[in-house]
Amino acid sequence: MHAVIEQARNEGRVVLTEIESKELLGQSGINVNDTRLASSKPETASISEQLGFPVVLKIASPDIVHKSDAGGVRTGLETTQQVGQAYDEILKAASQKYPKASVHGISVQKMAAPGVEVIIGMSKDAQFGPVLMFGLGGVWVEILEDFSLRVIPVTRRDVREMIKEIKGYKMLTGYRGMPPVDEAKLEDMLLSVADFVTKYPVVKELDLNPVIADSEGAIAVDARIVLEDSK
Ligand code: ADP
Ligand code: MG
């Protein structure tokens, strides 16, 4: 068993944090951004300086799944001073909304270049087993319910169709002067995610939300994995 899964199990948890999820996914060849855990304000500052500004800070807690709803995400931080202030504000907001949450620290990562935000997910259907999901980020999936699904295992042809059949597909082909996203790289990521969940049947749910896609590739900047209940 992977050390990350073992640790969660030992702590009686089924939810992996963003950092744990990215560690597991990154080691399976899925393109995730370099994300580090900081346990103090000075450490948050020094990691930010090492990674290079602008950075993003997020609350790192297995008990806080929707980080931005809890005031737990600050993007576009340009200076050490802004990082210090965001550090205090995130911890304050989180402790107000989730006073009982166990907090591992703050995750630090570089701000990704702008692109189109998409979602890649997996959930298990009682009848069909693992199902792969693709959609556009933001309001598209939730409000417009615009997403595509395929039962795993999938072929390259399946994932190519998944990308092309969403209603918002035009967002990927270059709009408002943006170059089209690299669809082959998105296909690669969908295929790697399908392989990943086949390799780890203990993964019950997976969400890469968002994956930021542009003309050069695709990278997951948020990740959440839920494990099966231990038996
Ligand atoms: P949550 O989904 O738990 O609220 P996210 O980690 O997805 O938190 O962050 C919220 C939003 O912040 C994302 O949907 C994305 O728009 C933006 N964001 C997060 N991380 C980055 C990053 N590294 N670079 C650019 N934007 C980011
Ligand atoms: Mg997210």
Side-chain angles (χ1 to χ4, degrees), residues 10 128 177 191 199:
N10 289 341
F128 298 109
L191 289 171
K199 176 168 147 204

Side-chain angles (χ1 to χ4, degrees), residues 93-108:
S95 70
Q96 277 171 356
K97 189 145 188 212
Y98 294 95
K100 291 190 183 142
S102 130
V103 173
H104 292 178
I106 294 285
S107 83
V108 189

Side-chain angles (χ1 to χ4, degrees), residues 33 58 65 67-68 73 109-112 117 209-210 221-222:
N33 67 345
K58 303 180 193 176
V65 170
K67 300 176 290 295
S68 32
V73 178
Q109 60 199 266
K110 266 181 89 103
M111 184 78 188
E117 295 198 1
N209 181 8
V221 301
D222 186 23

Side-chain angles (χ1 to χ4, degrees), residues 2-22:
H2 192 284
V4 159
I5 296 175
E6 205 167 308
Q7 176 162 355
R9 280 276 189 256
N10 289 341
E11 293 173 13
R13 287 192 276 129
V14 292
V15 175
L16 303 186
T17 62
E18 173 196 10
I19 290 190
E20 291 168 335
S21 303
K22 285 178 175 174

